[in-house]
Amino acid sequence: MEPVNDFQEGISTEHAFEAEPVPSLSETITPRSMVVSFILSVTLSIVAMKVTLSSGFIPSFSIPAGLLGFCVSRASIRILDYFAVAQLPFTRQENTIIQTCVVACTSITFTGGFGTYILAMGKKAAVGDVNAQNNVEEPSFARMITFLFLISFAGMFIIMPFRKVMIIRHRLTFPSGTATAHLINSFHTPQGVKQARKQVTLLFKSFGGTIAWSLFQWFFASGPGCGFKFFPTFGLEAYKHGFFFDFTMANVGIGMMCPYMIVFSVFIGTIISCGIIWPYIESKEGIWYPSNLGPNSLNGIRGYKVFIGLSMIMADCLFVFLCIMVRTTCAMIKRRRQAMQGGGGNAQPFQGIDIADQPVKSFDDRRRAQVFLRDEIPDSVTIGCYVLLSIISIAAIPHLYPQMRYSHVALIYLAAPVFAFCNAYGFGVTDMNLASTYCKIAMFAFGSWVGIKSGGVVAALVAGGITMSILGNAADVAQDLKTGYLTLTSPRAVFISEAIGTALGCVVNPTVFWVFYRVYKMGSGDMGDMPYAKLYRGFAMLSVGDGEQGLPRHSMLLFKVFFVLALALSVFREVASRKEWRIRRYIPSTIGMAITFFMPPRVPVGMCIGSLVAYLWEKMDAGRGRMLSPALASGLICGDGVGSLLLSMLTLMGARAPICIKFLSRGDNVKLDAFLATLHDMR
């Protein structure tokens, strides 16, 4: 996929806004935008935390943040107008600032490792691990906040010197950032206002309805196994294998927002893993592995789950990584040749850029480039800040995690700029952020370096966390700069908003996580699946060379077999896409199938229901379905997240549900009636 110019618009976007002056920095970052950003950041961080802890899937919040930012700001303007309070007009630039700040805050839910490496260090994920004595670090509230402040800002500073290269010279697309920018631009036209009002109305209806549904379910869940979430939707036999709908609206919303192919892949993977492979391996209990082990022991059934899923993810990540590197290299060579043919043969890759030197073809390009290059952030400042942060992190991180040495942290920060640019460039070309792939590479490198006896598992997870945070945040900043470029938002304003959102996320996300974690420790939460935490723990165990010791029989053989099968599937899918074969639409995603080895079937069931709802809606009314289904899905996800937080607060306050509803087979019901009758006679 080659970088292309901005969308070829029949009517110039910037001509529609030509009469509006570009607001100054103080008119863009306003008290109103900061208040709205804070409210939405806290709300969506709660939602993102609930989703990442329970299912591991994190949908993009760029469009919901832009939509909610627009509507909440317009609502606040009407309220202030009612009280005759003077205020600045709400512009698309301010809308972009809100969206940037909110996404910067919520993205730390993923890059901060709350559902991945933070939980993977703890005792819950380490159950059954061998040599776990020096390889466990329980989550600590103060340590999490300190660690996040150390690692979350480096990516912002290191990517800024490359902003002109990627956005002006190479004109990278950043498809998601471009789509968000066009959405924000459309909101600030008369037709866009009407469409946004419909979307937000439906969003708030589904949001309120989902919260009410969560509270309603709570009244019938007074004990273990109680409540509607244990309803045997497809019968008791399917329920025993985990196939049932648990009425979690977040999973339905995720299914509505995910591409059909991803949901289809998850469905196929669930059938293969939970419907075929696990029942067969469970039949070998006592032969392949001891029968007296718990379900979380790496020496038992969990060992097969971790290493089979791990092999498929490794194969897909390796193939995708190589493809992205080849595409990125070819794109850079092509751009370089074009520049040399155009008379720019003596230009250096990262020197200053003059508007006159660029092949600007339209009024929109000239206008956007002028604003983008007007507010300069000196490269010396951003590079100096990165160096300062690196020194502080090198000195502090080994005190937070003694398994890491100063040389380990220094090497990560030394190599990060190169990989950050590669990842951001690939993100702009393909819309795929490979920060988690680089994270796994770092885990293997540092885990094997430190070794199991010196705490290599924790060292691998910390090294991967630092890498993922720097590279992931750098790619997100590059995408937000593209959004700002297309909405005439000053890059300085985007950077400041990004910094504010990141600082807010370093406080809000650990707080939200700690509430959920406390409830989970009390045994009243539903976060016990931790699919990605188990995955990352498995990666770390494999990296220190301790993966095969104590594992059940044939587990490493199955690892190799499924690695080859997954690699073959990835190659076949790529070839089919390149050749444009018709069958390409029906080839499942390897990563989508692999993640089902770490999650219970009820999550994919909910996703399939959501995807089916979206599909039928688009079939019946394509226009309204495409316009409103993202809003409905966002409301379901947000409502479920806020509802979970309310239930967590009830649990922490000692509240107990008054009713227990259970679903029993006919035979169990007869036995229960006989038992109750015996008790009645004894009285």
Side-chain angles (χ1 to χ4, degrees):
M1 182 178 180
E2 296 291 339
V4 295
N5 292 339
D6 301 332
F7 285 101
Q8 302 296 322
E9 302 160 321
I11 301 176
S12 170
T13 299
E14 298 308 327
H15 271 305
F17 297 98
E18 188 176 7
E20 300 179 5
V22 178
S24 64
L25 185 64
S26 61
E27 294 172 332
T28 303
I29 302 179
T30 63
R32 175 179 58 205
S33 66
M34 292 297 98
V35 171
V36 173
S37 297
F38 176 79
I39 295 172
L40 295 181
S41 295
V42 173
T43 304
L44 293 181
S45 292
I46 295 170
V47 174
M49 191 65 67
K50 166 62 168 59
V51 172
T52 190
L53 290 175
S54 57
S55 68
F57 287 89
I58 304 181
S60 173
F61 287 101
S62 296
I63 291 178
L67 175 62
L68 289 172
F70 172 79
C71 293
V72 173
S73 298
R74 291 292 293 261
S76 67
I77 290 173
R78 290 185 179 181
I79 294 173
L80 293 176
D81 284 341
Y82 179 81
F83 292 100
V85 177
Q87 56 193 309
L88 293 171
F90 181 60
T91 62
R92 55 182 175 146
Q93 287 82 6
E94 187 177 352
N95 202 161
T96 302
I97 291 303
I98 294 172
Q99 182 267 336
T100 300
C101 185
V102 173
V103 172
C105 179
T106 56
S107 65
I108 293 181
T109 307
F110 175 68
T111 59
F114 297 102
T116 53
Y117 60 86
I118 293 293
L119 280 179
M121 295 182 197
K123 294 179 181 178
K124 297 290 184 180
V127 172
D129 284 1
V130 289
N131 295 326
Q133 182 178 1
N134 196 29
N135 291 283
V136 172
E137 291 285 349
E138 281 295 287
S140 166
F141 182 68
R143 180 166 58 184
M144 284 189 295
I145 292 180
T146 306
F147 185 63
L148 286 178
F149 270 104
L150 287 172
I151 68 173
S152 297
F153 292 89
M156 296 172 46
F157 289 107
I158 201 56
I159 203 63
M160 290 303 291
F162 302 112
R163 65 192 183 280
K164 301 175 186 177
V165 176
M166 292 187 291
I167 295 176
I168 299 295
R169 172 168 289 151
H170 291 285
R171 308 174 70 81
L172 299 183
T173 309
F174 289 100
S176 295
T178 299
T180 303
H182 282 278
L183 185 70
I184 291 175
N185 284 334
S186 70
F187 285 161
H188 293 267
T189 62
Q191 183 179 2
V193 172
K194 183 184 294 186
Q195 176 178 321
R197 187 179 295 116
K198 292 180 181 178
Q199 290 174 318
V200 169
T201 299
L202 180 60
L203 188 151
F204 278 107
K205 286 182 179 179
S206 61
F207 175 77
T210 304
I211 293 178
W213 172 243
S214 298
L215 294 174
F216 175 77
Q217 289 188 84
W218 176 80
F219 282 95
F220 301 92
S222 64
C226 298
F228 290 100
K229 63 172 52 183
F230 298 101
F231 177 70
T233 318
F234 309 111
L236 291 171
E237 190 61 32
Y239 176 82
K240 292 178 182 178
H241 294 285
F243 287 90
F244 62 96
F245 178 47
D246 64 353
F247 295 96
T248 300
M249 293 297 105
N251 295 333
V252 177
I254 293 171
M256 295 182 69
M257 297 185 73
C258 284
Y260 294 131
M261 179 50 64
I262 294 296
V263 179
F264 172 72
S265 303
V266 171
F267 174 74
I268 294 296
T270 302
I271 296 297
I272 293 174
S273 61
C274 300
I276 300 175
I277 297 178
W278 302 147
Y280 175 76
I281 293 180
E282 286 173 353
S283 68
K284 301 296 182 179
E285 184 178 7
I287 303 174
W288 286 9
Y289 60 95
S291 58
N292 58 346
L293 299 176
N296 292 320
S297 175
L298 200 63
N299 299 42
I301 187 69
R302 184 189 164 204
Y304 295 101
K305 293 182 178 182
V306 167
F307 284 96
I308 291 176
L310 186 63
S311 66
M312 297 178 67
I313 292 176
M314 287 179 61
D316 189 66
C317 287
L318 176 64
F319 180 76
V320 171
F321 177 78
L322 294 176
C323 287
I324 295 296
M325 289 297 100
V326 171
R327 293 180 191 177
T328 302
T329 303
C330 292
M332 294 180 70
I333 293 174
K334 182 178 179 180
R335 294 291 174 180
R336 182 63 177 168
R337 288 176 178 174
Q338 290 176 349
M340 294 179 67
Q341 293 172 0
N346 298 324
Q348 298 300 316
F350 305 124
Q351 70 179 22
I353 295 176
D354 188 353
I355 301 178
D357 295 335
Q358 301 306 308
V360 178
K361 299 179 181 180
S362 68
F363 173 79
D364 285 3
D365 291 333
R366 293 194 301 272
R367 179 103 164 127
R368 290 164 178 168
Q370 182 182 31
V371 173
F372 189 79
L373 298 174
R374 185 178 63 186
D375 291 335
E376 285 292 326
I377 301 177
D379 293 343
S380 58
V381 173
T382 57
I383 294 174
C385 290
Y386 178 78
V387 172
L388 180 61
L389 282 173
S390 302
I391 295 172
I392 296 174
S393 298
I394 291 169
I397 289 177
H399 291 283
L400 297 175
Y401 296 100
Q403 294 87 345
M404 292 287 288
R405 302 191 188 101
Y406 299 108
S407 57
H408 300 156
V409 184
L411 182 60
I412 294 174
Y413 276 89
L414 187 64
V418 176
F419 293 111
F421 174 73
C422 294
N423 184 50
Y425 197 101
F427 191 31
V429 173
T430 64
D431 205 33
M432 295 182 65
N433 191 338
L434 296 182
S436 60
T437 302
Y438 286 100
C439 164
K440 296 175 181 66
I441 295 173
M443 287 173 61
F444 275 102
F446 286 91
S448 59
W449 183 3
V450 176
I452 185 69
K453 294 182 179 179
S454 300
V457 174
V458 172
L461 292 168
V462 173
I466 298 172
T467 304
M468 182 163 62
S469 179
I470 295 176
L471 272 59
N473 289 340
D476 290 339
V477 171
Q479 178 174 261
D480 290 337
L481 287 170
K482 178 69 174 185
T483 302
Y485 169 79
L486 295 174
T487 57
L488 292 192
T489 306
S490 161
R492 184 179 299 176
V494 171
F495 183 81
I496 294 173
S497 176
E498 191 84 30
I500 294 172
T502 301
L504 185 62
C506 291
V507 177
V508 170
N509 285 290
T511 304
V512 175
F513 170 81
W514 200 245
V515 173
F516 282 128
Y517 188 72
R518 288 287 302 277
V519 173
Y520 170 50
K521 286 182 68 176
M522 294 171 62
S524 301
D526 59 348
M527 313 300 174
D529 301 318
M530 301 186 302
Y532 274 90
K534 296 175 182 177
L535 166 64
Y536 275 68
R537 186 78 188 185
F539 267 115
M541 292 294 295
L542 192 63
S543 71
V544 296
D546 202 46
E548 194 166 358
Q549 182 180 349
L551 286 179
R553 188 187 304 177
H554 305 310
S555 58
M556 294 308 294
L557 174 63
L558 291 173
F559 176 95
K560 298 171 185 176
V561 170
F562 277 87
F563 181 91
V564 173
L565 292 175
L567 188 62
L569 178 62
S570 298
V571 172
F572 181 59
R573 187 179 64 250
E574 182 69 18
V575 172
S577 299
R578 290 284 183 176
K579 300 292 185 179
E580 296 186 353
W581 295 340
R582 291 184 179 180
I583 196 175
R584 71 184 187 277
R585 300 179 180 179
Y586 307 102
I587 303 175
S589 164
T590 308
I591 200 77
M593 295 177 62
I595 193 57
T596 59
F597 286 78
F598 302 95
M599 65 172 57
R602 64 176 183 272
V603 176
V605 168
M607 293 176 61
C608 290
I609 291 175
S611 185
L612 180 62
V613 170
Y615 176 79
L616 294 177
W617 195 356
E618 289 188 14
K619 281 294 182 181
M620 292 186 292
D621 191 341
R624 288 177 60 85
R626 293 193 185 97
M627 180 181 72
L628 296 178
S629 62
L632 175 61
S634 300
L636 294 175
I637 296 172
C638 294
D640 190 75
V642 174
S644 296
L645 183 68
L646 293 177
L647 299 186
S648 300
M649 298 304 295
L650 288 174
T651 301
L652 290 175
M653 290 186 295
R656 295 288 301 274
I659 305 172
C660 174
I661 181 172
K662 283 193 173 185
F663 302 94
L664 306 174
S665 65
R666 182 185 305 168
D668 290 338
N669 186 57
V670 170
K671 295 177 182 178
L672 179 61
D673 287 342
F675 176 73
L676 293 176
T678 303
L679 289 179
H680 184 269
D681 294 339
M682 291 175 62
R683 290 179 182 178

